[in-house]
Amino acid sequence: MAAATLPSASAKVAVRNIARAVSSSQPLLLLHASSRRGRGLHPLPLAASAASQGAHLRRALSVSASAAAGGNNGAAPRAAEREYDYDLFTIGAGSGGMRASRVASALYGARAAVCEMPFATVASDALGGVGGTCVLRGCVPKKLLVYASKYSHEFEESRGFGWVYETDPKHDWRTLITNKNLELQRLVGIQTNTLKNSGVTVIEGRGKIVDPHTVSVDGKLYTAKNILVAVGGRPSKPNIPGIEHVIDSDAALDLPSRPEKIAIVGGGYIALEFAGVFNGLKSDVHVFIRQKKVLRGFDEEVRDFVAEQMSLRGVKFHIEQSPEAVTKSDDGLLSLKTNKETVSGFSHVMFATGRKPNTKNLGLEDVGVKMDEHGAIVVDEYSRTSVDSIWAVGDVTNRLNLTPVALMEAGAIARTIFGNEPTRADYSAVPSAVFSQPPIGHVGLTEDEATETYGDIDIYISNFKPLRVTLSGLPDRVFMKVIVCAKTNKVLGVHMCGEDAPEIIQGIAIAVKAGLTKQNFDSTIGVHPTTAEEFVTMRNPTRKVRRDTTAEAKTKDEAASQK
Amino acid sequence: MARKMLVDGEVAAVADAGQYDYDLFVIGAGSGGVRGSRLAASFGAKVAICELPFHPISSEWLGGHGGTCVIRGCVPKKILVYGASFRGEFEDSKNFGWEINGDINFNWKKLLENKTKEIVRLNGVYQKILTNAGVTLIEGAGSLVDAHTVEVSQPDGSKQRYTAKHILIATGSRAQRVNIPGKELAITSDEALSLEELPKRAVILGGGYIAVEFASIWRGMGAEVDLFYRRELPLRGFDDEMRAVVASNLEGRGIKLHPGTNLSELSKTADGIKVVTDKGEELIADVVLFATGRTPNSQRLNLQAAGVEVDQIGAIKVDEYSCTSAPSVWAVGDVTNRINLTPVALMEATCFAKTVFGGQQVKPDYGDVPCAVFSIPPLSVVGLNEQQALEEANSDILVFTSSFNPMKNSISNRQEKTIMKLVVDAETDRVLGASMCGPDAPEIIQGIAVALKCGATKANFDSTVGIHPSAAEEFVTMRSVTRRVSPTSKPKTNL
């Protein structure tokens, strides 16, 4: 969640939308709406009365739309409404769950409740917290640690700019963790208030589905016309000997002391982000990856580039190694045994070996909600599960596990169920970032994907020293890559690794949504002097990949990368 | 038009090589001149370029390859901004757990030395670029003899004449001083970028981007800074709301603002320069910077000899292809005083070379030109601001604003909001303008500028998934309109 999201915004939206809905509908229906007003479920009397009017108007009109979405649970016959305590009951108040219940309530006037477990920095079967992974154990605390760890690089840079330190800056881990946790607690409070101000009932406890319309929260039963499962995912570790000595990302975000020497197993974005954090805070960092390269699924050149830049900053990579055992010696230090070597002397061993949907012990099997072999809930394109009245969004469905995607899915289901508009989430051109140091931002296809789909593509690459480096003298570089369809000139993919990449790619992602061509890039004037302007000054293709000469193009590619 | 006869890319300049020494003679090797000559040469033209000898501070006889941008503008300025930004970083780092025991000192001489080293390197790079492109480099001050002849003179009085089928004037501009008693005690941005000593007390006159940037630079390096400007807010021409934000951020970072105030006199005292304002205030400064505008470098070009007209401030008048009133003489960049930005000069020069030597008639496109003010934190904008949008609009304007605490500040406790603003045409849904004041704004706005060039609608912004957690994602999550303004009504900016 962006820190910027203002609690009052949704209320404003509600009032505006409602004003429109009320003025445009027939007075006949208002009778029904006003009959419901007396319930007093909404803590915001002004917005709420308007909200429930509007919502019921909309709901009355939404029968056909919901049918189109595959069922009629969204708009059950009016008589049936009274059977349920809520229109929407959500299990899990993370990004997806909060968004869906807030929108359902504030925008559409639905009676929404959400249950969530008590707050703890490390999640378990009984602990979680309003805000979910993103706010408590993911994006937010991670980014805060990234900020903290980046300073060491900035101190180094500053020397070239004339700054002189009498003694080297030192880092106090405890200050950081204390301040981080204060911030997390503040956010839990804000999020809870945001929910309440949107008219959502917040229930503390662990939710379990009893039947297609009933959720039990620690034994207390609640009925709902629709149930939304938004319980997210959790780190998973392989079951190897000594796994009890190993920490996961939850624990890594809240360690009592800074690791002196840490082994991080995994080559995904979580592994790289933590490698950057601990390396910046001057731990001795060793990353063990099963493959030859980090970040499977990313553009090959980006994979090479980020590993090289991280190595230059001091991270040690151990490639093509699978963990086999972790042992603790008498002095308390840990050894990691892989298929190739045993490395000792670790204060910490962290596994960033994937995440699993939190679908255990939710009662899903009993009510017939289908799951895939990873335990992810299977949903249709409207996020509806195999049970008509049960929906699921976010990481628990294991589609694109990103906060903003969960938000999109949640917004879409609220609109589908309560807004008279069956809405599918749009997974095209979803940008994302890795907050490694340097960070990565990208949108669209990788070169391999583009070649496979379009055959003939033009590749524009720029690999340069940013202006900052000319004075800092550090080996930092920036990598940018634009992949263009040779036939249509459409930009298929944009990739960047280097300072500010996530911030830079966001605007370009908007351009991609607006139909970005290479000509649009070329006709845009640069903001000078910036790193980002390089994207609008890439005039000549670095290489052209053609379907019938793929072999030839590949050899050229190799030649170029060897330069 | 006569000019058309001279647009002869197809016929190729080479055919006429006998008649003139060169197909193109360029006066001034700044951003526009270098781009124009390189590109012309790549189209097969025989090109020469003249430029003054290198020096960080420009004068009648000093300049250097690279021009204002590289030697006395964008590049050195940005380097100093980087240097100055570290102070805020040190402050912010404390709550993130960093302990800096003992003093942190700032060694201005070292920064200056490293900056000059980089600029000397870039100066060499530009010379090499030109040489590699096959352009003849001539050192000296160029002026016109007639519409096809340039005279290059040296400080010792020696002169050499060259004829050319086309002449491109790209001599840029220079900082100007206000005419008050003691004005010789003040410096301009040229000197400010190369001061021997870092001032402890700096007075800046001017409310434009140069004034604001130097205020941030010196403040970041530890000086006491007093900024004087005539208006109520700095940065005239920018969105009023953003101007107010910049002003409050400058104050928040410890710069003393003196709106509606002019300087009336400077005098030398034992303690420093005594500054008297038009309100009767007096203060003592180590350095007084005039950031009071720039004037086109057109005086010494003998333009009238070729019939090249200038406007009342001395800017060379050009048509939309950058052709002057003399059909064989062209001008690009700051000397024409259109939009005085490096990337715009590059665009003008590119269009010139394509039109004259490339066989394609291309006009520069001044729509949606983004720009940045590298104050700390920076401001960046693209497209129309709210006031402009209202002037040009036929329909209502929707304004979306967001003011938020950047995530970093949640720990650092810095009290400084980031502000973003979108101006949308209510009827077409087109995003007419975007602006942002906050960390990384220039980097963020570049991508938004690309989106505007694609004709992005607000719906496109809304359908874009955010990159989380970033500041930029706020641009795609601005769901509720802040206000709707009709062209007839006045904008409500709470100013």
Side-chain angles (χ1 to χ4, degrees):
Chain A
M1 276 245 1
T5 309
L6 302 169
S8 61
S10 51
K12 268 190 245 157
V13 173
V15 174
R16 201 177 53 251
N17 274 284
I18 271 48
R20 235 177 265 151
V22 169
S23 63
S24 63
S25 49
Q26 296 125 342
L28 230 176
L29 292 163
L30 281 168
L31 273 176
H32 171 68
S34 50
S35 72
R36 292 290 294 269
R37 223 188 303 169
R39 290 199 166 206
L41 282 168
H42 301 276
L44 275 181
L46 220 175
S49 62
S52 60
Q53 281 181 7
H56 289 278
L57 295 175
R58 276 155 180 270
R59 209 171 311 147
L61 296 166
S62 72
V63 178
S64 61
S66 273
N72 66 351
N73 279 293
R78 255 173 256 159
E81 277 182 35
R82 295 185 176 271
E83 289 171 21
Y84 302 113
D85 299 331
Y86 296 101
D87 299 317
L88 177 68
F89 194 101
T90 302
I91 306 178
S95 305
M98 287 200 303
R99 172 62 59 92
S101 40
R102 275 180 57 194
V103 174
S105 172
L107 195 58
Y108 301 114
R111 297 165 306 148
V114 61
C115 70
E116 176 58 65
M117 301 182 290
F119 168 55
T121 52
V122 176
S124 71
D125 257 3
L127 295 169
V130 173
T133 304
C134 169
V135 175
L136 306 174
R137 284 170 295 276
C139 321
V140 174
K142 171 265 302 276
K143 186 92 189 272
L144 293 177
L145 296 201
V146 168
Y147 279 131
S149 61
K150 249 183 80 181
Y151 285 112
S152 64
H153 190 251
E154 284 168 37
F155 295 138
E156 271 181 58
E157 284 181 306
S158 72
R159 293 172 204 271
F161 287 90
W163 293 92
V164 188
Y165 305 87
E166 222 166 74
T167 54
D168 278 342
K170 277 208 183 90
H171 189 257
D172 181 56
W173 177 263
R174 206 172 286 266
T175 303
L176 170 62
I177 294 303
T178 305
N179 288 342
K180 181 218 54 166
N181 285 341
L182 281 174
E183 172 62 9
L184 296 193
Q185 266 155 18
R186 190 183 70 89
L187 290 175
V188 171
I190 288 181
Q191 312 264 3
T192 309
N193 283 337
T194 305
L195 281 171
K196 289 181 179 163
N197 292 341
S198 307
V200 178
T201 307
V202 183
I203 300 162
E204 191 168 89
R206 190 177 195 286
K208 194 174 169 179
I209 298 177
V210 178
D211 68 43
H213 293 284
T214 310
V215 176
S216 154
V217 181
D218 299 333
K220 192 159 188 251
L221 298 182
Y222 301 89
T223 60
K225 191 154 39 138
N226 295 281
I227 295 170
L228 172 63
V229 183
V231 292
R234 202 183 303 171
S236 80
K237 295 178 281 200
N239 198 11
I240 59 167
I243 197 70
E244 67 277 9
H245 304 305
V246 170
I247 59 168
D248 59 22
S249 59
D250 282 13
L253 286 166
D254 204 34
L255 291 174
S257 62
R258 179 187 68 102
E260 283 301 316
K261 181 176 176 181
I262 184 167
I264 299 175
V265 177
Y269 78 96
I270 297 174
L272 294 199
E273 290 177 344
F274 278 94
V277 164
F278 291 122
N279 185 57
L281 296 174
K282 302 295 171 199
S283 303
D284 184 8
V285 179
H286 295 254
V287 177
F288 294 81
I289 58 175
R290 223 177 316 191
Q291 300 188 316
K292 261 203 179 110
K293 292 184 183 185
V294 297
L295 292 178
R296 189 156 60 97
F298 283 66
D299 189 88
E300 293 297 320
E301 279 171 295
V302 171
R303 298 174 72 184
D304 291 332
F305 183 86
V306 71
E308 188 188 305
Q309 284 285 306
M310 289 180 72
S311 301
L312 287 170
R313 294 193 188 193
V315 175
K316 289 146 206 107
F317 287 98
H318 301 254
I319 61 166
E320 297 185 294
Q321 300 205 16
S322 305
E324 290 183 346
V326 176
T327 50
K328 193 171 193 169
S329 60
D330 295 341
D331 56 7
L333 294 178
L334 303 169
S335 298
L336 175 68
K337 181 180 180 294
T338 71
N339 56 330
K340 277 191 181 166
E341 60 177 332
T342 299
V343 185
S344 309
F346 292 115
S347 59
H348 296 78
V349 175
M350 172 186 170
F351 273 39
T353 42
R355 296 176 62 87
K356 276 217 173 96
N358 279 334
T359 45
K360 276 198 190 137
N361 208 11
L362 271 181
L364 294 170
E365 300 85 350
D366 300 340
V367 289
V369 171
K370 278 194 194 126
M371 287 174 277
D372 69 11
E373 68 276 20
H374 305 291
I377 295 177
V378 178
V379 289
D380 68 10
E381 49 195 347
Y382 298 96
S383 298
R384 176 172 276 183
T385 72
S386 52
V387 176
D388 269 0
S389 60
I390 303 180
W391 311 70
V393 296
D395 290 6
V396 77
T397 62
N398 195 27
R399 284 173 283 182
L400 251 180
N401 298 336
L402 296 168
T403 293
V405 171
L407 296 177
M408 171 172 66
E409 290 165 354
I413 70 143
R415 189 183 274 195
T416 299
I417 304 175
F418 303 108
N420 194 20
E421 271 177 89
T423 307
R424 278 173 282 208
D426 175 3
Y427 297 93
S428 67
V430 171
S432 69
V434 178
F435 290 92
S436 46
Q437 299 177 40
I440 297 168
H442 64 164
V443 58
L445 305 181
T446 65
E447 180 175 341
D448 287 349
E449 289 165 348
T451 313
E452 202 171 293
T453 316
Y454 293 90
D456 295 355
I457 54 170
D458 294 344
I459 311 280
Y460 296 76
I461 290 172
S462 184
N463 181 334
F464 62 98
K465 271 191 191 177
L467 179 60
R468 223 171 147 90
V469 158
T470 58
L471 263 78
S472 74
L474 299 180
D476 304 354
R477 295 186 72 88
V478 174
F479 177 84
M480 288 178 177
K481 180 168 179 175
V482 176
I483 300 163
V484 179
C485 178
K487 213 195 221 162
T488 62
N489 249 308
K490 279 250 168 169
V491 173
L492 305 172
V494 182
H495 306 264
M496 172 175 177
C497 180
E499 207 45 54
D500 296 327
E503 301 289 355
I504 291 169
I505 290 294
Q506 181 69 78
I508 293 177
I510 302 169
V512 170
K513 279 280 181 191
L516 175 65
T517 64
K518 187 61 173 64
Q519 278 87 347
N520 294 138
F521 256 134
D522 296 344
S523 68
T524 305
I525 301 288
V527 179
H528 188 68
T530 59
T531 298
E533 69 179 316
E534 191 69 18
F535 270 126
V536 302
T537 54
M538 296 163 96
R539 292 284 182 259
N540 301 308
T542 309
R543 58 179 178 271
K544 297 180 172 193
V545 181
R546 295 294 176 262
R547 202 188 287 274
D548 40 359
T549 56
T550 313
E552 190 196 323
K554 274 225 173 109
T555 41
K556 258 202 255 161
D557 181 4
E558 277 158 23
S561 63
Q562 275 162 11
K563 261 196 251 173
Chain B
M1 261 187 70
R3 186 182 48 73
K4 277 218 168 128
M5 296 164 61
L6 288 149
V7 175
D8 54 4
E10 308 85 3
V11 202
V14 192
D16 293 314
Q19 201 187 330
Y20 299 105
D21 297 336
Y22 294 101
D23 299 316
L24 174 66
F25 195 101
V26 181
I27 306 178
S31 304
V34 170
R35 171 64 62 88
S37 49
R38 264 178 66 191
L39 202 54
S42 80
F43 289 128
K46 189 181 175 196
V47 184
I49 189 165
C50 72
E51 175 58 64
L52 301 168
F54 171 75
H55 196 276
I57 299 168
S58 67
S59 72
E60 290 198 356
W61 294 106
L62 294 168
H65 293 87
T68 304
C69 169
V70 173
I71 302 171
R72 284 170 296 274
C74 322
V75 174
K77 172 265 301 277
K78 184 83 188 277
I79 287 174
L80 297 193
V81 169
Y82 276 137
S85 301
F86 288 112
R87 175 177 303 274
E89 299 297 327
F90 300 147
E91 292 165 3
D92 291 351
S93 73
K94 284 184 190 134
N95 280 345
F96 282 99
W98 288 95
E99 291 165 359
I100 305 173
N101 298 311
D103 281 349
I104 318 178
N105 294 308
F106 177 63
N107 184 338
W108 165 253
K109 289 231 159 74
K110 183 174 177 193
L111 175 57
L112 195 68
E113 200 177 289
N114 287 350
K115 179 218 84 177
T116 307
K117 222 186 280 172
E118 171 60 10
I119 283 159
V120 170
R121 188 185 73 83
L122 288 173
N123 175 253
V125 167
Y126 274 80
Q127 293 186 20
K128 204 173 284 168
I129 287 173
L130 287 169
T131 313
N132 290 347
V135 176
T136 305
L137 273 58
I138 298 164
E139 196 167 87
S143 61
L144 300 186
V145 176
D146 60 42
H148 291 285
T149 310
V150 175
E151 186 172 81
V152 179
S153 30
Q154 307 299 334
D156 64 9
S158 60
K159 289 176 168 51
Q160 175 89 41
R161 286 186 177 192
Y162 304 91
T163 59
K165 183 145 196 249
H166 297 279
I167 295 169
L168 176 65
I169 300 171
T171 49
S173 64
R174 191 177 310 174
Q176 68 180 12
R177 289 156 191 267
V178 288
N179 196 11
I180 59 169
K183 63 174 186 282
E184 66 285 350
L185 296 171
I187 59 168
T188 69
S189 57
D190 279 17
E191 293 88 9
L193 289 164
S194 297
L195 285 178
E196 288 287 316
E197 298 286 336
L198 183 66
K200 286 202 173 67
R201 301 159 300 179
V203 162
I204 300 172
L205 175 62
Y209 77 97
I210 298 173
V212 163
E213 289 175 346
F214 274 100
S216 290
I217 288 169
W218 282 333
R219 182 65 201 144
M221 291 169 181
E224 274 176 42
V225 179
D226 286 88
L227 179 62
F228 294 84
Y229 44 89
R230 251 179 308 179
R231 309 264 163 173
E232 210 173 306
L233 290 170
L235 297 176
R236 187 160 63 97
F238 285 87
D239 190 283
D240 286 344
E241 213 170 0
M242 304 313 275
R243 294 168 69 192
V245 170
V246 171
S248 87
N249 287 348
L250 293 177
E251 265 186 323
R253 298 257 178 170
I255 294 160
K256 276 175 242 141
L257 303 184
H258 304 263
T261 313
N262 232 324
L263 301 189
S264 48
E265 192 182 342
L266 307 179
S267 56
K268 211 171 187 172
T269 71
D271 192 27
I273 303 167
K274 189 169 103 178
V275 179
V276 182
T277 73
D278 62 357
K279 288 183 174 164
E281 294 166 274
E282 286 185 11
L283 56 165
I284 301 287
D286 303 311
V287 158
V288 177
L289 168 68
F290 284 170
T292 43
R294 296 178 63 87
T295 178
N297 278 332
S298 60
Q299 290 87 347
R300 295 167 62 243
L301 292 170
N302 198 27
L303 294 172
Q304 61 287 356
V308 173
E309 288 171 17
V310 295
D311 69 12
Q312 68 281 359
I313 68 149
I316 295 177
K317 289 189 197 169
V318 288
D319 68 10
E320 50 194 349
Y321 292 93
S322 300
C323 189
T324 71
S325 48
S328 62
V329 181
W330 309 70
V332 296
D334 289 7
V335 77
T336 63
N337 194 31
R338 285 173 281 181
I339 298 181
N340 298 335
L341 295 169
T342 294
V344 170
L346 296 176
M347 167 174 69
E348 290 166 356
T350 302
C351 292
F352 153 78
K354 283 185 177 169
T355 300
V356 179
F357 300 104
Q360 348 164 17
Q361 292 233 19
V362 243
K363 285 184 247 185
D365 173 4
Y366 295 95
D368 298 331
V369 172
C371 71
V373 178
F374 289 93
S375 45
I376 301 174
L379 165 70
S380 190
V381 303
V382 59
L384 305 181
N385 66 36
E386 185 176 344
Q387 297 79 35
Q388 292 165 334
L390 274 174
E391 275 162 31
E392 295 185 16
N394 299 316
S395 54
D396 284 5
I397 298 299
L398 302 178
V399 179
F400 296 79
T401 55
S402 176
S403 161
F404 60 95
N405 210 17
M407 191 192 276
K408 201 173 181 175
N409 295 4
S410 67
I411 298 290
S412 72
N413 262 328
R414 179 174 290 284
Q415 300 298 311
E416 194 173 77
K417 298 253 172 171
T418 289
I419 312 281
M420 289 177 177
K421 183 165 177 176
L422 287 177
V423 178
V424 178
D425 186 313
E427 203 164 282
T428 63
D429 199 41
R430 278 281 289 264
V431 175
L432 303 174
S435 39
M436 171 176 178
C437 182
D440 301 325
E443 302 289 352
I444 291 169
I445 288 293
Q446 180 70 78
I448 306 282
V450 178
L452 260 58
K453 273 285 178 192
C454 297
T457 59
K458 185 61 171 58
N460 291 138
F461 274 66
D462 293 344
S463 71
T464 304
V465 174
I467 293 184
H468 189 67
S470 66
E473 69 178 316
E474 193 63 20
F475 267 125
V476 301
T477 54
M478 295 163 91
R479 292 283 186 266
S480 45
V481 72
T482 308
R483 57 181 170 269
R484 185 185 185 106
V485 203
S486 302
T488 46
S489 76
K490 268 194 165 178
K492 296 180 193 82
T493 54
N494 300 324
L495 275 184

